[in-house]
Amino acid sequence: MSYSIQSIVAFRGVYPAELPAGLALVQLNDDVQMIPLGSIAREQYGIPFLPLTDDGDIEFPPSIQELCRQLSAGGDLAYIEAEIFGGAGVQASVLVGAGGRVGSVIVAHDAINAALCSLGVPRHNGGDEFASLALGRCRETDAWIDHAQE
């Protein structure tokens, strides 16, 4: 079974009141919101598909940096991505501070949890931050966009 996600996450109030065109907002648990970077957003903003996990880049793509800069005026956020197939996979994350201060690229088996922990996402019922936000609910990024429109 495969799983992939490419998104930007932050607590409510971080993103601007009006999102840039082509972006959808998904409400997660614990007052966290996610902007999935699905196929339409990637095409519109020139964002590569899973550049840190699929392509193995160690540089944060300028197109994603710019979008995160626009979205981070109200506080800290995290860019997250993961690709898992048949139980094996990799995760990546980048923290972006208020106003666009870009942190280091982290590629590791727990990169998403590390970023969510840094943002202050709580753990529930003995699970990790990923489980607390129910990020496994959809198997791929475009499905999150469909979920947001329901």
Side-chain angles (χ1 to χ4, degrees):
M1 193 172 235
S2 66
Y3 174 87
S4 65
I5 191 167
Q6 185 172 9
S7 301
I8 301 169
V9 295
F11 279 97
R12 181 188 306 275
V14 169
Y15 299 129
E18 188 171 324
L19 291 178
L23 300 180
L25 191 64
V26 176
Q27 184 63 48
L28 301 173
N29 300 331
D30 295 315
D31 221 20
V32 175
Q33 297 176 314
M34 177 173 71
I35 297 175
L37 299 177
S39 53
I40 293 172
R42 288 193 311 270
E43 183 176 332
Q44 184 166 346
Y45 292 96
I47 295 171
F49 177 70
L50 302 174
L52 306 174
T53 57
D54 193 38
D55 292 343
D57 290 344
I58 56 169
E59 302 271 337
F60 195 37
S63 56
I64 304 173
Q65 283 186 48
E66 175 57 24
L67 184 57
C68 287
R69 186 195 61 74
Q70 292 175 33
L71 295 170
S72 67
D76 299 344
L77 55 80
Y79 168 79
I80 61 169
E81 68 176 64
E83 183 174 40
I84 300 166
F85 186 78
V90 65
Q91 299 179 7
S93 65
V94 178
L95 291 172
V96 179
R101 293 182 325 274
V102 176
S104 299
V105 171
I106 297 173
V107 179
H109 76 279
D110 63 347
I112 292 176
N113 280 328
L116 297 176
C117 181
S118 292
L119 289 178
V121 172
R123 293 176 173 203
H124 297 290
N125 302 322
D128 58 18
E129 294 83 359
F130 189 97
S132 292
L133 295 182
L135 289 176
R137 185 175 13 179
C138 295
R139 304 302 298 167
E140 55 94 29
T141 305
D142 281 332
W144 282 103
I145 296 164
D146 296 339
H147 183 72
Q149 296 170 350
E150 292 175 347

